[in-house]
Amino acid sequence: MSMDRRPDDMVRITTPELADAFIAEQIDALRAQIGDKKVLLALSGGVDSSVVAAMLIKAVGDQLVCVHVNHGLLRKGEPEQVIEVFRNQMKANLIYVDATDRFLDKLAGVTDPETKRKIIGGEFIEVFAEEARKLDGIEFLAQGTIWPDILESEAGIKAHHNAGGLPEDMQFELVEPVKILFKDEVRVVGERLGLPAGMVYRQPFPGPGLGVRCPGAITRDRLEAVRESDAILREEFAKNGLEGKVWQYFTVVPDFKSTGVKDGKRTFDWPCIIRAINTTDVMEVTVEHLSDELIDHLVSRIISEVPGINRVLFDYTPKPPATVEYE
Ligand code: XMP
């Protein structure tokens, strides 16, 4: 059976050999737990759920059913990558749900940050539960719970974000194959399971996605401006050797406009704010200072390639007093 707690003397998984041993052990445990039954997994494309998916595909193949819900607030290329890696390369049983319209319709006109988060979280559970109800014979629910989640929920810092949420009539036994691992160990294990480095070492991304980077009421055009500018920022960070070096970097497009001029004509468009930060514990955060050349290049690309943007700003504020995200 799988282990419930991380043994005090467990060696930190830092090498391919240690990862391989962990994977072999977990595969045996998963097969013993699941037998010939079916397992359901909400696959966001984040590190933890992706590693759990890869592990379960190895252990029980198409007894695993993955559901990828696109809430319309994902980064450019993310749903495509999930489909490519899991359906095309790993041959997973993957249900892809494009719920963009449903989420954006519910969010239309909603300005309060907490209400936005609640709508996104609640709608996600509803879509996932609807998909689950369409399936027959699911007995297990897999989750990407990791050891810090358990420690934090025991310490009362945050509610165990995974377990809860599904309607009461939906009772599944939990399968949590990485729950005794720290994040860095999950990444090493993910690499050994054959996941692309870009997926395993990706920067943190909040559950409500680009929704918190489109402050105030989300509109499709401003959301696209966030998505496109974020894609340019990520591309330039990768080209300039900053990917994997800077903890988190993204763009925000606030809901106000300023005057500009383009091709001799007056414009009235949004600014785009760049945020790039470093941290170890996310409680305190410092700002990554970019070179003047890179800033100039980013400004030039964003204003010429992203419709609706006529100004680019850089956020020099540490945490505290500012939080990482804007909402
Ligand atoms: P803040 O804005 O609180 O963010 O300084 C700290 C870190 O947490 C991430 N973050 C979230 N992650 N769901 C998540 O999974 C969320 O609702 C959420 N809000 C913030 C944020 O990106 C940063 O890394």
Side-chain angles (χ1 to χ4, degrees), residues 117 204 206-208 248 282 319 323-325:
R117 277 172 182 270
Q248 202 173 5
V282 208
K319 174 181 175 177
T323 51
V324 175
E325 305 288 349

mmCIF file of all heavy atoms in Angstrom, residues 117 204 206-208 248 282 319 323-325, ligand 1:
data_model
loop_
_atom_site.group_PDB
_atom_site.id
_atom_site.type_symbol
_atom_site.label_atom_id
_atom_site.label_comp_id
_atom_site.label_asym_id
_atom_site.label_seq_id
_atom_site.Cartn_x
_atom_site.Cartn_y
_atom_site.Cartn_z
ATOM 1 N N ARG A 117 -12.480 34.910 -8.087
ATOM 2 C CA ARG A 117 -11.834 33.644 -7.707
ATOM 3 C C ARG A 117 -12.869 32.567 -7.374
ATOM 4 O O ARG A 117 -12.720 31.411 -7.750
ATOM 5 C CB ARG A 117 -10.953 33.844 -6.477
ATOM 6 C CG ARG A 117 -9.590 34.379 -6.799
ATOM 7 C CD ARG A 117 -8.847 34.737 -5.523
ATOM 8 N NE ARG A 117 -7.561 35.297 -5.844
ATOM 9 C CZ ARG A 117 -6.446 34.585 -5.983
ATOM 10 N NH1 ARG A 117 -6.445 33.299 -5.777
ATOM 11 N NH2 ARG A 117 -5.307 35.172 -6.309
ATOM 12 N N PRO A 204 5.549 28.928 -11.281
ATOM 13 C CA PRO A 204 4.230 28.774 -10.669
ATOM 14 C C PRO A 204 3.168 29.561 -11.434
ATOM 15 O O PRO A 204 3.471 30.622 -11.998
ATOM 16 C CB PRO A 204 4.403 29.370 -9.263
ATOM 17 C CG PRO A 204 5.820 29.734 -9.104
ATOM 18 C CD PRO A 204 6.524 29.589 -10.399
ATOM 19 N N PRO A 206 -1.058 30.614 -10.974
ATOM 20 C CA PRO A 206 -2.198 30.495 -10.052
ATOM 21 C C PRO A 206 -3.380 29.748 -10.661
ATOM 22 O O PRO A 206 -3.589 29.806 -11.879
ATOM 23 C CB PRO A 206 -2.576 31.958 -9.775
ATOM 24 C CG PRO A 206 -2.033 32.738 -10.913
ATOM 25 C CD PRO A 206 -0.823 32.000 -11.412
ATOM 26 N N GLY A 207 -4.142 29.073 -9.809
ATOM 27 C CA GLY A 207 -5.341 28.351 -10.266
ATOM 28 C C GLY A 207 -6.303 29.227 -11.080
ATOM 29 O O GLY A 207 -6.781 28.811 -12.134
ATOM 30 N N PRO A 208 -6.591 30.459 -10.614
ATOM 31 C CA PRO A 208 -7.500 31.320 -11.391
ATOM 32 C C PRO A 208 -6.847 31.882 -12.653
ATOM 33 O O PRO A 208 -7.454 32.694 -13.358
ATOM 34 C CB PRO A 208 -7.854 32.453 -10.425
ATOM 35 C CG PRO A 208 -7.348 32.034 -9.088
ATOM 36 C CD PRO A 208 -6.261 31.046 -9.306
ATOM 37 N N GLN A 248 9.359 33.820 -11.088
ATOM 38 C CA GLN A 248 8.044 34.015 -11.710
ATOM 39 C C GLN A 248 8.037 35.326 -12.480
ATOM 40 O O GLN A 248 8.596 36.327 -12.017
ATOM 41 C CB GLN A 248 6.967 34.042 -10.621
ATOM 42 C CG GLN A 248 5.574 33.717 -11.125
ATOM 43 C CD GLN A 248 4.562 33.593 -9.996
ATOM 44 O OE1 GLN A 248 4.876 33.838 -8.830
ATOM 45 N NE2 GLN A 248 3.351 33.216 -10.333
ATOM 46 N N VAL A 282 7.937 32.635 -1.129
ATOM 47 C CA VAL A 282 6.812 33.429 -1.631
ATOM 48 C C VAL A 282 6.188 34.342 -0.560
ATOM 49 O O VAL A 282 5.211 35.032 -0.820
ATOM 50 C CB VAL A 282 5.729 32.580 -2.337
ATOM 51 C CG1 VAL A 282 5.008 33.411 -3.382
ATOM 52 C CG2 VAL A 282 6.300 31.372 -3.029
ATOM 53 N N LYS A 319 7.624 42.274 -2.318
ATOM 54 C CA LYS A 319 6.570 41.813 -1.396
ATOM 55 C C LYS A 319 7.212 41.573 -0.044
ATOM 56 O O LYS A 319 8.170 40.783 0.001
ATOM 57 C CB LYS A 319 5.950 40.520 -1.917
ATOM 58 C CG LYS A 319 4.939 39.872 -0.947
ATOM 59 C CD LYS A 319 4.379 38.586 -1.494
ATOM 60 C CE LYS A 319 3.472 37.901 -0.485
ATOM 61 N NZ LYS A 319 2.865 36.677 -1.020
ATOM 62 N N THR A 323 1.674 42.215 -3.147
ATOM 63 C CA THR A 323 1.651 40.771 -3.360
ATOM 64 C C THR A 323 2.206 40.492 -4.755
ATOM 65 O O THR A 323 2.426 41.415 -5.536
ATOM 66 C CB THR A 323 0.219 40.199 -3.250
ATOM 67 O OG1 THR A 323 -0.641 40.969 -4.084
ATOM 68 C CG2 THR A 323 -0.275 40.224 -1.822
ATOM 69 N N VAL A 324 2.432 39.210 -5.041
ATOM 70 C CA VAL A 324 2.958 38.846 -6.361
ATOM 71 C C VAL A 324 1.898 39.148 -7.413
ATOM 72 O O VAL A 324 2.128 39.880 -8.373
ATOM 73 C CB VAL A 324 3.354 37.348 -6.414
ATOM 74 C CG1 VAL A 324 3.776 36.970 -7.827
ATOM 75 C CG2 VAL A 324 4.463 37.049 -5.412
ATOM 76 N N GLU A 325 0.717 38.590 -7.231
ATOM 77 C CA GLU A 325 -0.381 38.794 -8.173
ATOM 78 C C GLU A 325 -1.109 40.091 -7.837
ATOM 79 O O GLU A 325 -1.008 40.586 -6.716
ATOM 80 C CB GLU A 325 -1.356 37.608 -8.118
ATOM 81 C CG GLU A 325 -0.716 36.238 -8.341
ATOM 82 C CD GLU A 325 -0.289 35.992 -9.777
ATOM 83 O OE1 GLU A 325 -0.650 36.779 -10.680
ATOM 84 O OE2 GLU A 325 0.416 34.993 -10.008
HETATM 85 P P1 XMP B 1 0.601 36.365 -3.849
HETATM 86 O O1 XMP B 1 -0.124 37.156 -4.897
HETATM 87 O O2 XMP B 1 -0.291 35.905 -2.744
HETATM 88 O O3 XMP B 1 1.114 35.048 -4.600
HETATM 89 O O4 XMP B 1 1.813 37.105 -3.333
HETATM 90 C C1 XMP B 1 2.054 34.143 -4.032
HETATM 91 C C2 XMP B 1 2.219 32.980 -5.008
HETATM 92 O O5 XMP B 1 1.023 32.201 -5.066
HETATM 93 C C3 XMP B 1 0.520 32.188 -6.395
HETATM 94 N N1 XMP B 1 -0.936 32.304 -6.314
HETATM 95 C C4 XMP B 1 -1.788 31.277 -6.451
HETATM 96 N N2 XMP B 1 -1.583 29.965 -6.704
HETATM 97 N N3 XMP B 1 -3.919 29.581 -6.661
HETATM 98 C C5 XMP B 1 -2.660 29.127 -6.812
HETATM 99 O O6 XMP B 1 -2.491 27.942 -7.075
HETATM 100 C C6 XMP B 1 -4.198 30.876 -6.402
HETATM 101 O O7 XMP B 1 -5.361 31.245 -6.262
HETATM 102 C C7 XMP B 1 -3.088 31.756 -6.287
HETATM 103 N N4 XMP B 1 -2.969 33.095 -6.041
HETATM 104 C C8 XMP B 1 -1.652 33.389 -6.061
HETATM 105 C C9 XMP B 1 1.168 33.372 -7.093
HETATM 106 O O8 XMP B 1 1.239 33.180 -8.491
HETATM 107 C C10 XMP B 1 2.513 33.411 -6.455
HETATM 108 O O9 XMP B 1 3.402 32.463 -7.006
#
